[in-house]
């Protein structure tokens, strides 16, 4: 086939060789891939990439992290359609490997949703544009066109504003109804992020945008599929041979998010009820691995459940590490402040805090000291003390706001990934607190 947009079909996705697919995507999405070359990237110190060339090496002769992540997501879509389970799970650790039954669930969901070439191209387009907001040039181009500075917004919000300003040309090739469905998914993503709910990073108020998806099942389902493929490609910059990050615990979390979201959309669950369904499923998951049963109706246990979700905790040893630090190493005042702040739903009278990138900060802080339990405890305790400062900071953006975002990406890069942190994790406790920006206004 000579063009992804011209005549791609689900059948051809099954038969098309990956070496032929990638150049077609490059040619169809040239401006978008140029933006992805500039997109910022967050690395975890991974090494030992595969011997085979990466997608960006094949297409451009050098490594571009976000291009590799995006295109591995596209390859994962192919592996799903061709039911290449062994390729899909590849180098996933055996202890967390995606199960056959979960792979079949995902396969069934995708094949039911994608009914023809237009659906397929819609999904591929959604995947390619998903992270364009990470290109700092996009916010600058928006400012050049409109005069408004949106650089302080999160990348999902930057993307939707840029799309509405006509800065993402690939959407113009789609039928109006199709592009509108993609934009609906983007609008949902600008306020509601599947991963942030899976990690209990956002607040119940952020789920209110799901109410706008009533009667828009296709747009919601395609957004969900795009998010699963985004995870599948998340480690594509270090291992492009498989869907390394879509492991069983993460799938379980996203399946919980899907059911929580559908419960809210259908009217069967309140915003708080949908949020707590995710926490409850994490509690059940860990109870089945030996942890005590958490009661998410209790503010103390609910706060701990959120922290366990933020840490991506999926085994008993790590759960015991987190609960030990929570119960023993934190002062009563720190723990009480976290219990209070982590139980705020978010309203104009009492805004909630969204600690963006805190899950990555916590997991990396612990991983740095892998193999040294005492050092891991100290690092996690410092991360939680920093979280308390983050959640209780008093500055707030102008206007009516129900959720305030504090993005700790720079703190992660400049403090946690520094040699000083390895020598003394308490340097994190003295780190700056990012200013708050509006994540949700009412």
């Amino acid at each position: 086939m000579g063009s992804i947009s011209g005549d791609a079909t689900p059948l051809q996705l099954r038969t098309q060789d990956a070496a032929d697919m990638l150049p077609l995507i490059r040619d169809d999405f040239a401006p978008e891939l140029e933006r992805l070359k500039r997109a910022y990237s967050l690395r975890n110190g991974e090494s030992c990439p595969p011997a085979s060339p990466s997608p960006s090496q094949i297409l451009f002769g050098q490594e571009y992290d976000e291009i590799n992540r995006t295109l591995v997501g596209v390859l994962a879509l192919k592996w799903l359609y061709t039911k290449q389970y062994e390729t899909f799970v590849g180098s996933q650790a055996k202890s967390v490997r995606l199960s056959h039954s979960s792979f079949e669930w995902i396969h069934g969901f995708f094949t039911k949703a994608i009914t023809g070439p237009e659906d397929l191209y819609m999904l591929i387009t959604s995947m390619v544009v998903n992270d364009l907001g990470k290109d700092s040039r996009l916010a600058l181009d928006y400012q050049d066109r409109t005069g408004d500075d949106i650089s302080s917004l999160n990348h999902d919000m930057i993307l939707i504003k840029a799309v509405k300003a006509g800065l993402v040309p690939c959407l113009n090739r789609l039928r109006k109804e199709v592009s509108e469905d993609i934009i609906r998914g983007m609008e949902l993503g600008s306020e509601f992020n599947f991963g942030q709910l899976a990690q209990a990073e956002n607040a119940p108020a952020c789920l209110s945008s799901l109410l706008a998806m009533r009667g828009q099942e296709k747009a919601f389902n395609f957004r969900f599929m795009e998010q699963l493929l985004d995870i599948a490609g998340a480690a594509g910059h270090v291992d492009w041979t498989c869907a390394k990050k879509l492991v069983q615990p993460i799938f379980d979390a996203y399946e919980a998010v899907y059911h929580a979201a559908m419960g809210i959309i259908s009217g069967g669950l309140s915003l708080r009820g949908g949020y707590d369904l995710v926490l409850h499923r994490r509690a059940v998951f860990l109870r089945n691995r030996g942890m005590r049963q958490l009661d998410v109706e209790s503010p103390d246990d609910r706060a701990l459940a959120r922290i366990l979700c933020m840490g991506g905790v999926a085994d008993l040893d790590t759960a015991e590490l987190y609960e030990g630090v929570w119960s023993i190493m934190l002062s009563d005042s720190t723990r009480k402040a976290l219990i209070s702040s982590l139980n705020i739903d978010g309203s104009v009278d009492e805004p909630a805090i969204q600690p963006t990138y805190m899950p990555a900060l916590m997991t990396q802080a612990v991983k740095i000291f892998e193999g040294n339990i005492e050092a891991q405890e100290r690092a996690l305790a410092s991360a939680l003390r920093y979280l308390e400062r983050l959640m209780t900071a008093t500055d707030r953006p102008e206007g009516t706001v129900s959720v305030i975002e504090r993005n700790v990406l720079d703190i992660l890069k400049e403090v946690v990934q520094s040699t000083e942190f390895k020598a003394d994790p308490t340097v994190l406790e003295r780190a700056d607190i990012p200013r708050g920006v509006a994540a949700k206004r009412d």
Side-chain angles (χ1 to χ4, degrees):
M1 69 189 186
S3 167
I4 287 289
S5 62
D7 37 44
T9 69
L11 176 61
Q12 287 168 314
L13 184 64
R14 293 187 178 97
T15 59
Q16 189 77 20
D17 187 82
D20 296 326
M21 280 179 59
L22 295 178
L24 296 178
I25 293 172
R26 176 196 60 200
D27 295 343
D28 258 19
F29 297 98
E32 290 74 27
L33 294 183
E34 284 300 310
R35 289 199 181 277
L36 287 177
K37 288 180 181 180
R38 296 189 296 266
Y40 66 79
S41 172
L42 181 62
R43 281 182 168 258
N44 298 324
E46 303 98 331
S47 57
C48 301
S52 60
S54 70
S56 72
Q57 189 73 37
I58 291 170
L59 296 182
F60 303 107
Q62 63 186 94
E63 301 299 347
Y64 295 104
D65 284 0
E66 288 303 319
I67 287 179
N68 283 330
R69 288 175 173 141
T70 297
L71 295 183
V72 170
V74 175
L75 293 176
L77 174 59
K78 175 180 171 59
W79 300 328
L80 276 170
Y81 257 95
T82 52
K83 301 192 77 170
Q84 296 181 63
Y85 171 75
E86 295 298 335
T87 300
F88 194 91
V89 299
S91 62
Q92 292 181 1
K94 186 176 181 180
S95 60
V96 294
R97 185 176 299 158
L98 187 74
S99 69
H100 279 278
S101 60
S102 295
F103 181 83
E104 289 294 334
W105 188 95
I106 300 169
H107 171 80
F109 190 99
F110 276 61
T111 53
K112 181 179 179 181
I114 301 172
T115 60
E118 188 173 60
D119 287 343
L120 176 59
Y121 192 64
M122 173 184 172
L123 181 56
I124 292 174
T125 301
S126 296
M127 294 165 63
V128 171
V129 304
N130 182 49
D131 284 328
L132 295 186
K134 293 181 179 180
D135 170 24
S136 61
R137 182 71 238 176
L138 189 62
L140 292 173
D141 290 343
Y142 181 88
Q143 186 172 11
D144 289 343
R145 180 165 294 191
T146 68
D148 294 333
D149 181 4
I150 60 171
S151 59
S152 65
L153 300 180
N154 66 52
H155 70 267
D156 290 318
M157 290 184 174
I158 289 172
L159 175 60
I160 187 61
K161 286 181 175 292
V163 165
K164 292 182 177 181
L167 292 170
V168 183
C170 66
L171 296 180
N172 298 331
R173 296 196 294 265
L174 304 172
R175 282 194 308 115
K176 184 173 182 289
E177 293 81 1
V178 176
S179 63
E180 286 176 347
D181 272 339
I182 291 178
I183 292 171
R184 286 189 189 100
M186 289 179 182
E187 288 174 333
L188 175 65
S190 69
E191 288 194 353
F192 170 73
N193 181 294
F194 285 84
Q196 288 174 345
L197 178 54
Q199 298 174 133
E201 182 181 1
N202 58 10
C206 295
L207 279 58
S208 64
S209 54
L210 288 166
L211 302 175
M213 301 305 288
R214 290 178 177 171
Q216 305 295 339
E217 181 178 346
K218 180 174 182 177
F220 177 77
N221 284 340
F222 272 71
R223 183 71 182 181
F224 178 66
M225 290 191 292
E226 175 207 298
Q227 293 293 295
L228 285 181
L229 293 171
D230 186 58
I231 300 164
H237 60 303
V238 291
D239 188 349
W240 39 88
T241 64
C242 68
K244 191 176 184 71
K245 292 293 187 181
L246 190 45
V247 294
Q248 190 62 41
I250 291 179
F251 170 73
D252 288 338
Y254 271 72
E255 186 187 19
V257 168
Y258 177 78
H259 290 298
M262 290 302 294
I264 292 169
I265 291 169
S266 69
L269 289 173
S270 65
L271 302 185
R272 175 81 170 221
Y275 196 98
D276 284 0
L277 175 62
V278 173
L279 300 181
H280 175 71
R281 288 206 173 191
R282 176 69 59 153
V284 170
F285 180 90
L286 291 173
R287 182 199 64 195
N288 291 339
R289 281 149 183 80
M291 186 181 181
R292 71 175 178 88
Q293 178 64 60
L294 296 178
D295 177 11
V296 298
E297 297 294 323
S298 159
D300 190 329
D301 276 2
R302 188 176 183 277
L304 177 57
R306 279 195 67 179
I307 289 170
L308 292 167
C309 286
M310 286 189 198
V313 177
D315 63 86
L316 179 59
D317 287 344
T318 310
E320 289 178 342
L321 167 70
Y322 271 68
E323 184 164 27
V325 170
W326 171 258
S327 302
I328 300 170
M329 296 187 67
L330 299 183
S331 68
D332 287 345
S333 61
T334 293
R335 191 165 49 252
K336 287 177 181 178
L338 284 170
I339 291 170
S340 176
S341 60
L342 289 169
N343 277 282
I344 295 173
D345 287 357
S347 65
V348 172
D349 292 333
E350 190 177 31
I353 302 298
Q354 177 176 299
T356 303
Y357 282 106
M358 194 66 202
L361 186 151
M362 288 169 58
T363 54
Q364 286 197 36
V366 172
K367 185 177 181 181
I368 286 169
F369 300 99
E370 195 167 16
N372 185 334
I373 297 298
E374 291 184 357
Q376 287 184 318
E377 289 173 342
R378 291 194 298 271
L380 180 57
S382 288
L384 293 179
R385 292 183 190 111
Y386 181 75
L387 178 61
E388 184 230 340
R389 292 178 54 219
L390 194 75
M391 300 293 286
T392 57
T394 57
D395 71 288
R396 57 186 295 175
E398 294 181 359
T400 57
V401 57
S402 57
V403 181
I404 299 170
E405 178 182 25
R406 299 190 190 280
N407 190 323
V408 300
L409 178 59
D410 288 342
I411 303 300
L412 170 58
K413 291 179 176 179
E414 296 167 9
V415 179
V416 174
Q417 295 178 350
S418 70
T419 56
E420 290 80 8
F421 181 81
K422 293 179 182 178
D424 178 15
T426 63
V427 298
L428 176 59
E429 299 176 37
R430 301 185 291 276
D432 292 338
I433 297 300
R435 73 181 183 89
V437 299
K440 179 173 175 53
R441 293 189 182 275
D442 287 332

